[in-house]
Amino acid sequence: MGRLSARLLMQRGRPKSDRLGKIRSLDLSGLELLSEHLDPKLLCRLTQLQELDLSNNQLETLPDNLGLSHLRVLRCANNQLGDVTALRQFPKLEELSLEGNPFLTVNDNLKVSFLLPTLRKVNGKDASSTYSQVENLNRELTSRVTAHWEKFMATQGPEEEAEKAQADFVKSAVRDVRYGPESLSEFTQWRVRMISEELVASSRTQVHKDDSPEKPPEAGAAHKPRARLATLKRPDDVPLNLSPSKRACASPSAQVEGGPVADSDGSQPALKLEPLHFLQCHSKNNSPQDLETQLWACAFEPAWEEGATSQTVATCGGEAVCVIDCQTGIVLHKYKAPGEEFFSVAWTALMVVTQAGHKKRWSVLAAAGLRGLVRLLHVRAGFCCGVIRAHKKAIATLCFSPAHETHLFTASYDKRIILWDIGLPNQDYEFQASQLLTLDTTSIPLRLCPVASCPDARLLAGCEGGCCCWDVRLDQPQKRRVCEVEFVFSEGSEASGRRVDGLAFVNEDVVASKGSGLGTICLWSWRQTWGGRGSQSTVAVVVLARLQWSPTELAYFSLSACPDKGIVLCGDEEGNVWLYDVSNILKQPPLLPAAPQAPTQILKWPQPWALGQAVTKTMVNTVVANASFTYLTALTDSNIVAIWGRL
């Protein structure tokens, strides 16, 4: 499609007219329009236009001088818009459609509500709830920026150059003023900059008016009551918060067993954590009566910057996948698949290139379960952009390769592990996955771990029948492979065949694994075990230490590790979280394994209240912490997501 012409506008406009100034409705959908095709000189002649349809095109931006001052309805669905600030030129807009723009996020939804106060509907839904969110955020941000202004200006001496000081204030406000969840930081920083610049402009006006550095009029906002950010959950699916104020623990921090460890060997003291939020966001039909849906897996979103850490976690269970901000307990996104039961989730971060050549980082969440399907979710845009029909039986677990961001392992009850390349999305943001390898197992695979020191060469799996390893190098000719080595955890063939339902690398060498009936977690050396295997197909692992764990006979409690902190985590059948600081073992492994090491801490189940009574019995199926160990998420068999925060 080339540039628009007056003839085309008259053909697609209503009512039919030979004058552009009489057209009230214009349909420009499905014309493969690019942003540069929207000629402001032509479109500004549509002086009476009230309804414009630009959906199903390839627009990345909207020109900010279209001149459509009477526009009331705008449809821009299924484009590639990455910014909404140009919408401010339509002050009378009442209805707006932006679905199917993958690069727009919840931050852009809030910007729209701020920029267009007359909007009644966004994407077919009532916009009032979003307005209340924006109002609360705006009130609190104005208060905080004003307080920052007063504090900043109090530090400025009379010799300071006014222009430079005011510019420094704007920079410091954007840097230091924070409020709300990390997922809304783009919107809050955008508003902080605007509020700061307004304060500076007001201050300049006052100075020029009375030559007196009085406080700007907005300073009164600091004395307004602060509004709590309580409406950021999706209005169509509000999870029940189980109030931590009603938990049985009298202390604001959790009950802890196992004293602080502050040895001369450099191990950390016991970490102080407190339960922050309890959510029933996976309930069937959003019912608060549901204390039965089992939750199985969670994973923190990869940080967007190197060295940073994320506070956004994905959880799965029942027919839902939820994305939660751990700081606030807000469910940012929710994806439902009726009839599905999700068992596993995994994140990857892709770098995609738009048609205009711009690079954008894109977090993709894979979710799988009972139906044997892998769903690739673009959570920020709220839709499923690909489905892989991976297995005919249920998928027990999945994980992305740390060496290749598009390589995904799926492990199924059909006793197969498959390596997929999900590829990069096409122009319609759809994936076309291809199968790279098939790994046969003799029992059901339960946990997957690419070997930390060579993730593109070896894969470990904890299975019903033991711990196995495969060669996953793609430069080898065989595309279907059997287990290369089976690992056992004590000498003698009788130790073979024991279930391994917990598996994680604590660093590039040390593996933590857990099997049924042992009451312990084993720490063993991959490097020493692999180096001493020779040509054997069954190898006893080189044990470094054993960690004391629950003596329960129950299975399928998944363990995890926080490599940056040298911490191993595991839940149990009583709702507790067992926490082990193994940093001393990582620094200097013992010559011979001693008696099982006691946990550094046991975080006792806080017994939140639901349905008018304390939830005292539950099982923590899995527990995962983010890289900086500031947040810890525990999932239970009673439909409760418990989020702990580090004090």
Side-chain angles (χ1 to χ4, degrees), residues 43 113 130 166 224 256 302 377 456 460 462 549 558 589 595 617 620:
L43 294 176
S113 294
T130 308
Q166 291 164 346
K224 295 180 181 179
V256 175
L377 308 178
D456 54 352
L460 275 181
W549 184 66
S558 178
K617 291 291 184 181
V620 172

Side-chain angles (χ1 to χ4, degrees), residues 436-556:
L436 301 177
L437 290 176
T438 299
L439 312 176
D440 291 317
T441 69
T442 57
S443 62
I444 298 171
L446 304 172
R447 310 286 178 232
L448 298 178
C449 272
V451 173
S453 59
C454 51
D456 54 352
R458 297 287 185 277
L459 175 73
L460 275 181
C463 306
E464 286 283 0
C467 184
C468 300
C469 179
W470 285 265
D471 182 341
V472 293
R473 290 174 294 178
L474 296 176
D475 58 359
Q476 305 299 304
Q478 300 86 359
K479 299 306 178 186
R480 186 157 192 160
R481 303 173 189 178
V482 296
C483 170
E484 184 178 13
V485 178
E486 180 183 356
F487 297 108
V488 295
F489 297 90
S490 62
E491 298 291 346
S493 59
E494 71 277 4
S496 180
R498 189 181 299 277
R499 177 193 298 123
V500 173
D501 58 6
L503 194 65
F505 272 86
V506 188
N507 63 13
E508 286 204 345
D509 176 42
V510 178
V511 186
S513 61
K514 179 180 70 66
S516 62
L518 293 176
T520 59
I521 295 170
C522 179
L523 297 184
W524 53 282
S525 169
W526 160 263
R527 190 174 296 116
Q528 295 180 53
T529 302
W530 188 257
R533 75 181 184 93
S535 59
Q536 301 176 73
S537 59
T538 301
V539 180
V541 301
V542 177
V543 177
L544 303 177
R546 296 188 188 276
L547 310 176
Q548 177 190 344
W549 184 66
S550 169
T552 179
E553 293 294 326
L554 298 173
Y556 312 122

Side-chain angles (χ1 to χ4, degrees), residues 364-414:
V364 176
L365 181 66
L370 185 64
R371 290 189 169 184
L373 305 175
V374 178
R375 291 173 168 84
L376 301 173
L377 308 178
H378 185 347
V379 293
R380 295 185 185 278
F383 69 90
C384 177
C385 47
V387 176
I388 305 172
R389 301 185 181 278
H391 298 268
K392 292 183 178 179
K393 292 188 177 182
I395 295 174
T397 187
L398 47 75
C399 74
F400 280 98
S401 167
H404 302 280
E405 64 273 12
T406 64
H407 287 188
L408 175 68
F409 290 98
T410 60
S412 171
Y413 283 76
D414 63 12

Side-chain angles (χ1 to χ4, degrees), residues 29-67:
S29 63
L31 297 178
E32 299 184 358
L33 293 174
L34 301 177
S35 299
E36 54 266 30
H37 294 154
L38 301 181
D39 183 2
K41 292 183 179 179
L42 176 63
L43 294 176
C44 70
R45 294 166 60 187
L46 299 164
T47 54
Q48 298 302 315
L49 191 67
Q50 296 187 14
E51 184 173 345
L52 175 62
D53 191 346
L54 293 171
S55 56
N56 301 306
N57 285 297
Q58 299 172 19
L59 305 174
E60 293 190 358
T61 60
L62 291 176
D64 56 9
N65 55 346
L66 293 178

Side-chain angles (χ1 to χ4, degrees), residues 236-238 280-281 283-289 334 336:
D236 57 340
D237 188 23
V238 180
Q280 281 181 287
C281 47
S283 297
K284 294 178 182 177
N285 301 319
N286 301 324
S287 170
Q289 308 295 321
K334 185 170 184 177
K336 279 188 176 182

Side-chain angles (χ1 to χ4, degrees), residues 144-172:
R144 293 186 179 216
V145 172
T146 303
H148 186 74
W149 164 266
E150 294 173 350
K151 182 178 179 180
F152 181 89
M153 295 307 293
T155 64
Q156 303 300 304
E159 70 281 359
E160 295 286 344
E161 184 181 345
E163 293 283 341
K164 182 180 184 303
Q166 291 164 346
D168 290 344
F169 162 70
V170 173
K171 293 179 181 178
S172 69

